[in-house]
CSV table of all heavy atoms in Angstrom, one decimal:
chain,number,residue,atom,x,y,z
T,1,THR,N,-45.6,52.8,-7.4
T,1,THR,CA,-46.5,52.0,-8.2
T,1,THR,C,-46.5,52.4,-9.7
T,1,THR,O,-47.3,51.8,-10.4
T,1,THR,CB,-48.0,52.1,-7.6
T,1,THR,OG1,-48.3,53.6,-7.6
T,1,THR,CG2,-48.0,51.6,-6.2
T,2,GLU,N,-45.8,53.4,-10.0
T,2,GLU,CA,-45.8,53.9,-11.4
T,2,GLU,C,-45.2,52.8,-12.4
T,2,GLU,O,-44.4,52.0,-12.0
T,2,GLU,CB,-44.9,55.2,-11.5
T,2,GLU,CG,-45.6,56.4,-10.9
T,2,GLU,CD,-45.6,56.5,-9.4
T,2,GLU,OE1,-44.9,55.6,-8.8
T,2,GLU,OE2,-46.2,57.3,-8.8
T,3,PRO,N,-45.6,52.9,-13.6
T,3,PRO,CA,-45.1,52.0,-14.6
T,3,PRO,C,-43.6,52.1,-14.7
T,3,PRO,O,-43.0,53.2,-14.5
T,3,PRO,CB,-45.8,52.4,-15.9
T,3,PRO,CG,-47.0,53.2,-15.5
T,3,PRO,CD,-46.6,53.9,-14.2
T,4,GLU,N,-43.0,51.0,-15.1
T,4,GLU,CA,-41.5,51.0,-15.2
T,4,GLU,C,-41.0,52.1,-16.2
T,4,GLU,O,-40.0,52.7,-16.1
T,4,GLU,CB,-41.0,49.6,-15.5
T,4,GLU,CG,-41.1,48.7,-14.3
T,4,GLU,CD,-40.6,47.3,-14.6
T,4,GLU,OE1,-40.3,47.0,-15.8
T,4,GLU,OE2,-40.4,46.6,-13.7
T,5,GLU,N,-41.8,52.3,-17.3
T,5,GLU,CA,-41.5,53.2,-18.3
T,5,GLU,C,-41.3,54.6,-17.7
T,5,GLU,O,-40.5,55.4,-18.2
T,5,GLU,CB,-42.6,53.3,-19.4
T,5,GLU,CG,-42.6,52.0,-20.3
T,5,GLU,CD,-43.4,50.8,-19.6
T,5,GLU,OE1,-44.0,51.0,-18.5
T,5,GLU,OE2,-43.4,49.7,-20.1
T,6,THR,N,-42.2,55.0,-16.8
T,6,THR,CA,-42.1,56.3,-16.1
T,6,THR,C,-40.7,56.5,-15.4
T,6,THR,O,-40.1,57.6,-15.5
T,6,THR,CB,-43.2,56.5,-15.1
T,6,THR,OG1,-44.5,56.3,-15.8
T,6,THR,CG2,-43.1,57.8,-14.5
T,7,ILE,N,-40.3,55.4,-14.8
T,7,ILE,CA,-39.0,55.5,-14.1
T,7,ILE,C,-37.8,55.6,-15.0
T,7,ILE,O,-36.8,56.3,-14.8
T,7,ILE,CB,-38.9,54.3,-13.1
T,7,ILE,CG1,-40.1,54.3,-12.1
T,7,ILE,CG2,-37.6,54.4,-12.3
T,7,ILE,CD1,-40.1,53.0,-11.3
T,8,ILE,N,-37.9,54.8,-16.1
T,8,ILE,CA,-36.9,54.9,-17.2
T,8,ILE,C,-36.7,56.3,-17.7
T,8,ILE,O,-35.6,56.9,-17.8
T,8,ILE,CB,-37.1,53.9,-18.3
T,8,ILE,CG1,-37.1,52.5,-17.8
T,8,ILE,CG2,-36.2,54.2,-19.5
T,8,ILE,CD1,-35.7,52.0,-17.4
T,9,ALA,N,-37.9,57.0,-17.9
T,9,ALA,CA,-37.8,58.3,-18.4
T,9,ALA,C,-37.3,59.3,-17.4
T,9,ALA,O,-36.4,60.2,-17.7
T,9,ALA,CB,-39.2,58.8,-18.8
T,10,HIS,N,-37.6,59.0,-16.1
T,10,HIS,CA,-37.0,59.9,-15.0
T,10,HIS,C,-35.5,59.7,-14.9
T,10,HIS,O,-34.8,60.7,-14.9
T,10,HIS,CB,-37.6,59.3,-13.7
T,10,HIS,CG,-37.0,59.8,-12.4
T,10,HIS,ND1,-37.2,61.1,-12.0
T,10,HIS,CD2,-36.1,59.3,-11.6
T,10,HIS,CE1,-36.5,61.3,-10.9
T,10,HIS,NE2,-35.9,60.2,-10.6
T,11,VAL,N,-35.0,58.5,-15.0
T,11,VAL,CA,-33.6,58.3,-15.0
T,11,VAL,C,-32.8,58.8,-16.2
T,11,VAL,O,-31.8,59.5,-16.1
T,11,VAL,CB,-33.2,56.8,-14.8
T,11,VAL,CG1,-31.7,56.5,-14.9
T,11,VAL,CG2,-33.8,56.2,-13.5
T,12,ALA,N,-33.5,58.7,-17.3
T,12,ALA,CA,-32.9,59.2,-18.6
T,12,ALA,C,-32.7,60.8,-18.5
T,12,ALA,O,-31.8,61.3,-19.0
T,12,ALA,CB,-33.7,58.8,-19.8
T,13,THR,N,-33.7,61.5,-17.9
T,13,THR,CA,-33.7,62.9,-17.7
T,13,THR,C,-32.5,63.2,-16.8
T,13,THR,O,-31.7,64.1,-17.1
T,13,THR,CB,-35.0,63.4,-17.1
T,13,THR,OG1,-36.0,63.2,-18.0
T,13,THR,CG2,-34.9,64.9,-16.8
T,14,LEU,N,-32.3,62.5,-15.7
T,14,LEU,CA,-31.2,62.9,-14.8
T,14,LEU,C,-29.9,62.5,-15.4
T,14,LEU,O,-28.9,63.3,-15.3
T,14,LEU,CB,-31.4,62.1,-13.5
T,14,LEU,CG,-32.6,62.4,-12.7
T,14,LEU,CD1,-32.7,61.4,-11.5
T,14,LEU,CD2,-32.6,63.8,-12.2
T,15,ALA,N,-29.8,61.4,-16.2
T,15,ALA,CA,-28.6,61.1,-16.9
T,15,ALA,C,-28.2,62.1,-17.9
T,15,ALA,O,-26.9,62.0,-18.3
T,15,ALA,CB,-28.7,59.7,-17.5
T,16,GLY,N,-29.1,62.9,-18.3
T,16,GLY,CA,-28.7,64.0,-19.2
T,16,GLY,C,-28.0,65.1,-18.5
T,16,GLY,O,-27.4,66.0,-19.2
T,17,LEU,N,-28.1,65.1,-17.2
T,17,LEU,CA,-27.5,66.2,-16.4
T,17,LEU,C,-26.2,65.8,-15.7
T,17,LEU,O,-25.3,66.6,-15.7
T,17,LEU,CB,-28.5,66.6,-15.3
T,17,LEU,CG,-29.8,67.2,-15.7
T,17,LEU,CD1,-30.8,67.4,-14.6
T,17,LEU,CD2,-29.6,68.6,-16.5
T,18,ILE,N,-26.2,64.5,-15.2
T,18,ILE,CA,-25.1,64.1,-14.4
T,18,ILE,C,-24.9,62.5,-14.6
T,18,ILE,O,-25.9,61.8,-14.8
T,18,ILE,CB,-25.3,64.4,-12.9
T,18,ILE,CG1,-24.1,64.1,-12.0
T,18,ILE,CG2,-26.6,63.7,-12.4
T,18,ILE,CD1,-24.3,64.6,-10.6
T,19,PRO,N,-23.7,62.0,-14.6
T,19,PRO,CA,-23.6,60.6,-14.7
T,19,PRO,C,-24.3,59.8,-13.6
T,19,PRO,O,-24.3,60.3,-12.4
T,19,PRO,CB,-22.1,60.4,-14.6
T,19,PRO,CG,-21.4,61.6,-15.0
T,19,PRO,CD,-22.4,62.7,-14.6
T,20,VAL,N,-25.0,58.8,-14.0
T,20,VAL,CA,-25.9,58.1,-13.0
T,20,VAL,C,-25.4,56.7,-12.6
T,20,VAL,O,-24.9,55.9,-13.4
T,20,VAL,CB,-27.3,57.9,-13.7
T,20,VAL,CG1,-28.1,56.8,-13.0
T,20,VAL,CG2,-28.1,59.2,-13.7
T,21,VAL,N,-25.5,56.5,-11.3
T,21,VAL,CA,-25.3,55.2,-10.7
T,21,VAL,C,-26.7,54.7,-10.4
T,21,VAL,O,-27.4,55.2,-9.6
T,21,VAL,CB,-24.4,55.2,-9.4
T,21,VAL,CG1,-24.3,53.9,-8.8
T,21,VAL,CG2,-23.0,55.8,-9.8
T,22,GLY,N,-27.1,53.6,-11.1
T,22,GLY,CA,-28.4,53.0,-10.8
T,22,GLY,C,-28.4,52.4,-9.4
T,22,GLY,O,-27.4,52.0,-8.8
T,23,PHE,N,-29.6,52.1,-8.9
T,23,PHE,CA,-29.8,51.6,-7.5
T,23,PHE,C,-30.9,50.7,-7.4
T,23,PHE,O,-32.1,51.1,-7.5
T,23,PHE,CB,-29.9,52.8,-6.6
T,23,PHE,CG,-29.8,52.5,-5.1
T,23,PHE,CD1,-29.5,51.2,-4.7
T,23,PHE,CD2,-30.1,53.5,-4.2
T,23,PHE,CE1,-29.4,51.0,-3.3
T,23,PHE,CE2,-30.1,53.2,-2.8
T,23,PHE,CZ,-29.8,52.0,-2.4
T,24,TYR,N,-30.6,49.3,-7.3
T,24,TYR,CA,-31.6,48.4,-7.1
T,24,TYR,C,-31.7,48.1,-5.5
T,24,TYR,O,-31.0,47.4,-5.0
T,24,TYR,CB,-31.3,47.1,-7.7
T,24,TYR,CG,-32.5,46.2,-8.0
T,24,TYR,CD1,-32.4,45.1,-8.8
T,24,TYR,CD2,-33.7,46.3,-7.3
T,24,TYR,CE1,-33.5,44.2,-9.1
T,24,TYR,CE2,-34.9,45.5,-7.6
T,24,TYR,CZ,-34.7,44.4,-8.5
T,24,TYR,OH,-35.8,43.6,-8.6
T,25,LEU,N,-32.7,48.8,-4.9
T,25,LEU,CA,-32.9,48.8,-3.4
T,25,LEU,C,-33.9,47.7,-3.0
T,25,LEU,O,-35.0,47.6,-3.6
T,25,LEU,CB,-33.3,50.1,-3.0
T,25,LEU,CG,-33.6,50.3,-1.5
T,25,LEU,CD1,-32.3,50.1,-0.7
T,25,LEU,CD2,-34.1,51.7,-1.2
T,26,GLN,N,-33.6,47.0,-2.0
T,26,GLN,CA,-34.5,45.9,-1.5
T,26,GLN,C,-35.8,46.5,-0.9
T,26,GLN,O,-35.8,47.6,-0.4
T,26,GLN,CB,-33.8,45.1,-0.5
T,26,GLN,CG,-33.4,45.8,0.8
T,26,GLN,CD,-33.2,44.9,1.9
T,26,GLN,OE1,-33.9,43.9,2.1
T,26,GLN,NE2,-32.2,45.3,2.8
T,27,PRO,N,-36.9,45.9,-1.2
T,27,PRO,CA,-38.2,46.3,-0.7
T,27,PRO,C,-38.3,46.6,0.8
T,27,PRO,O,-39.0,47.4,1.2
T,27,PRO,CB,-39.2,45.3,-1.2
T,27,PRO,CG,-38.5,44.7,-2.4
T,27,PRO,CD,-37.1,44.6,-2.0
T,28,ALA,N,-37.5,45.8,1.6
T,28,ALA,CA,-37.6,45.9,3.1
T,28,ALA,C,-37.2,47.3,3.6
T,28,ALA,O,-37.6,47.7,4.7
T,28,ALA,CB,-36.6,44.9,3.7
T,29,VAL,N,-36.4,48.1,2.7
T,29,VAL,CA,-36.1,49.4,3.2
T,29,VAL,C,-36.5,50.4,2.2
T,29,VAL,O,-35.9,51.5,2.1
T,29,VAL,CB,-34.5,49.5,3.5
T,29,VAL,CG1,-34.2,48.7,4.7
T,29,VAL,CG2,-33.7,49.0,2.3
T,30,GLY,N,-37.6,50.2,1.5
T,30,GLY,CA,-38.2,51.2,0.7
T,30,GLY,C,-38.1,51.0,-0.8
T,30,GLY,O,-38.6,51.8,-1.5
T,31,GLY,N,-37.4,50.0,-1.2
T,31,GLY,CA,-37.3,49.8,-2.7
T,31,GLY,C,-38.5,49.0,-3.3
T,31,GLY,O,-39.5,48.8,-2.6
T,32,ARG,N,-38.4,48.6,-4.6
T,32,ARG,CA,-39.4,47.8,-5.2
T,32,ARG,C,-38.7,46.8,-6.1
T,32,ARG,O,-37.5,47.0,-6.5
T,32,ARG,CB,-40.4,48.7,-5.9
T,32,ARG,CG,-39.8,49.5,-7.0
T,32,ARG,CD,-40.9,50.4,-7.7
T,32,ARG,NE,-41.6,49.7,-8.8
T,32,ARG,CZ,-42.4,50.2,-9.7
T,32,ARG,NH1,-42.7,51.5,-9.5
T,32,ARG,NH2,-42.9,49.5,-10.6
T,33,VAL,N,-39.5,45.7,-6.5
T,33,VAL,CA,-39.0,44.8,-7.4
T,33,VAL,C,-39.1,45.2,-8.8
T,33,VAL,O,-40.2,45.8,-9.2
T,33,VAL,CB,-39.6,43.4,-7.2
T,33,VAL,CG1,-39.2,42.4,-8.2
T,33,VAL,CG2,-39.4,42.9,-5.8
T,34,PHE,N,-38.1,45.1,-9.6
T,34,PHE,CA,-38.1,45.5,-11.0
T,34,PHE,C,-38.0,44.3,-11.9
T,34,PHE,O,-37.3,43.3,-11.5
T,34,PHE,CB,-37.0,46.5,-11.4
T,34,PHE,CG,-37.3,47.9,-10.8
T,34,PHE,CD1,-36.5,48.2,-9.7
T,34,PHE,CD2,-38.2,48.8,-11.3
T,34,PHE,CE1,-36.7,49.5,-9.0
T,34,PHE,CE2,-38.4,50.0,-10.7
T,34,PHE,CZ,-37.7,50.4,-9.6
T,35,SER,N,-38.5,44.4,-13.1
T,35,SER,CA,-38.3,43.2,-14.1
T,35,SER,C,-37.0,43.2,-14.7
T,35,SER,O,-36.3,44.2,-14.8
T,35,SER,CB,-39.5,43.3,-15.1
T,35,SER,OG,-39.2,44.4,-15.9
T,36,TYR,N,-36.7,42.1,-15.3
T,36,TYR,CA,-35.4,42.0,-16.2
T,36,TYR,C,-35.6,43.1,-17.3
T,36,TYR,O,-34.5,43.7,-17.5
T,36,TYR,CB,-35.3,40.6,-16.8
T,36,TYR,CG,-34.4,40.7,-17.9
T,36,TYR,CD1,-33.0,40.6,-17.8
T,36,TYR,CD2,-34.9,40.7,-19.2
T,36,TYR,CE1,-32.2,40.7,-18.9
T,36,TYR,CE2,-34.0,40.8,-20.4
T,36,TYR,CZ,-32.7,40.7,-20.2
T,36,TYR,OH,-31.9,40.8,-21.3
T,37,SER,N,-36.7,43.2,-17.9
T,37,SER,CA,-36.9,44.1,-19.0
T,37,SER,C,-36.6,45.6,-18.6
T,37,SER,O,-36.1,46.4,-19.4
T,37,SER,CB,-38.2,44.0,-19.7
T,37,SER,OG,-39.3,44.3,-18.8
T,38,PHE,N,-37.0,45.9,-17.3
T,38,PHE,CA,-36.6,47.2,-16.8
T,38,PHE,C,-35.1,47.5,-16.9
T,38,PHE,O,-34.7,48.5,-17.4
T,38,PHE,CB,-37.1,47.4,-15.4
T,38,PHE,CG,-36.7,48.7,-14.7
T,38,PHE,CD1,-37.4,49.9,-14.9
T,38,PHE,CD2,-35.6,48.7,-13.9
T,38,PHE,CE1,-36.9,51.0,-14.3
T,38,PHE,CE2,-35.1,49.8,-13.3
T,38,PHE,CZ,-35.8,51.0,-13.5
T,39,TRP,N,-34.4,46.6,-16.3
T,39,TRP,CA,-32.9,46.7,-16.3
T,39,TRP,C,-32.3,46.7,-17.7
T,39,TRP,O,-31.3,47.4,-17.9
T,39,TRP,CB,-32.3,45.7,-15.3
T,39,TRP,CG,-32.6,46.0,-13.9
T,39,TRP,CD1,-33.5,45.3,-13.1
T,39,TRP,CD2,-32.2,47.1,-13.2
T,39,TRP,NE1,-33.6,45.9,-11.9
T,39,TRP,CE2,-32.9,47.0,-11.9
T,39,TRP,CE3,-31.3,48.2,-13.4
T,39,TRP,CZ2,-32.6,47.9,-10.9
T,39,TRP,CZ3,-31.1,49.1,-12.3
T,39,TRP,CH2,-31.8,49.0,-11.1
T,40,ARG,N,-32.9,45.9,-18.5
T,40,ARG,CA,-32.4,45.9,-19.9
T,40,ARG,C,-32.6,47.3,-20.6
T,40,ARG,O,-31.7,47.7,-21.2
T,40,ARG,CB,-33.2,44.8,-20.7
T,40,ARG,CG,-32.8,44.8,-22.2
T,40,ARG,CD,-31.3,44.3,-22.3
T,40,ARG,NE,-31.0,44.1,-23.7
T,40,ARG,CZ,-30.7,45.2,-24.5
T,40,ARG,NH1,-30.7,46.4,-24.0
T,40,ARG,NH2,-30.3,45.0,-25.8
T,41,ARG,N,-33.7,48.0,-20.4
T,41,ARG,CA,-33.9,49.3,-20.9
T,41,ARG,C,-33.1,50.3,-20.1
T,41,ARG,O,-32.6,51.3,-20.7
T,41,ARG,CB,-35.4,49.7,-20.8
T,41,ARG,CG,-36.3,48.9,-21.9
T,41,ARG,CD,-37.7,49.2,-21.6
T,41,ARG,NE,-38.2,48.5,-20.5
T,41,ARG,CZ,-39.3,48.7,-19.9
T,41,ARG,NH1,-40.1,49.7,-20.3
T,41,ARG,NH2,-39.7,48.0,-18.8
T,42,PHE,N,-32.9,50.1,-18.8
T,42,PHE,CA,-32.1,51.0,-18.0
T,42,PHE,C,-30.7,51.0,-18.6
T,42,PHE,O,-30.0,52.0,-18.6
T,42,PHE,CB,-32.1,50.4,-16.5
T,42,PHE,CG,-31.5,51.4,-15.6
T,42,PHE,CD1,-32.4,52.1,-14.7
T,42,PHE,CD2,-30.2,51.4,-15.4
T,42,PHE,CE1,-31.8,53.0,-13.8
T,42,PHE,CE2,-29.6,52.3,-14.4
T,42,PHE,CZ,-30.5,53.1,-13.6
T,43,ALA,N,-30.1,49.8,-18.9
T,43,ALA,CA,-28.8,49.7,-19.5
T,43,ALA,C,-28.6,50.4,-20.8
T,43,ALA,O,-27.4,50.7,-21.2
T,43,ALA,CB,-28.5,48.2,-19.6
T,44,GLU,N,-29.7,50.7,-21.5
T,44,GLU,CA,-29.5,51.5,-22.7
T,44,GLU,C,-29.4,53.0,-22.6
T,44,GLU,O,-29.1,53.7,-23.6
T,44,GLU,CB,-30.8,51.2,-23.6
T,44,GLU,CG,-30.8,49.7,-24.1
T,44,GLU,CD,-32.0,49.3,-24.8
T,44,GLU,OE1,-33.0,50.2,-24.9
T,44,GLU,OE2,-32.2,48.2,-25.3
T,45,ILE,N,-29.5,53.4,-21.3
T,45,ILE,CA,-29.4,54.9,-21.1
T,45,ILE,C,-27.9,55.3,-21.1
T,45,ILE,O,-27.2,54.8,-20.3
T,45,ILE,CB,-30.0,55.3,-19.7
T,45,ILE,CG1,-31.5,54.9,-19.7
T,45,ILE,CG2,-29.8,56.8,-19.4
T,45,ILE,CD1,-32.2,55.1,-18.3
T,46,PRO,N,-27.5,56.1,-22.1
T,46,PRO,CA,-26.1,56.4,-22.3
T,46,PRO,C,-25.4,56.9,-21.0
T,46,PRO,O,-24.2,56.6,-20.7
T,46,PRO,CB,-26.0,57.4,-23.4
T,46,PRO,CG,-27.3,57.2,-24.1
T,46,PRO,CD,-28.3,56.8,-23.1
T,47,GLY,N,-26.1,57.7,-20.2
T,47,GLY,CA,-25.4,58.3,-19.1
T,47,GLY,C,-25.3,57.5,-17.9
T,47,GLY,O,-24.7,57.8,-16.8
């Protein structure tokens, strides 16, 4: 339930350590729905 900005910061931290493969997981098996703007910001993470 955290704000999308929190998750972006989390991924950016990890991407500073190791190359990241993002993962859009369906809610039926534990994922959540993200906005287009989330993925737009996600795409700006260099790693």
Side-chain angles (χ1 to χ4, degrees):
T1 59
E2 285 75 7
E4 292 182 342
E5 291 78 7
T6 300
I7 305 173
I8 293 293
H10 169 74
V11 174
T13 297
L14 295 175
L17 298 172
I18 188 171
V20 161
V21 178
F23 188 9
Y24 199 167
L25 177 64
Q26 62 160 326
V29 289
R32 61 181 272 187
V33 174
F34 290 104
S35 67
Y36 160 82
S37 64
F38 170 84
W39 290 109
R40 180 63 179 79
R41 285 173 289 165
F42 192 101
E44 294 174 354
I45 299 172

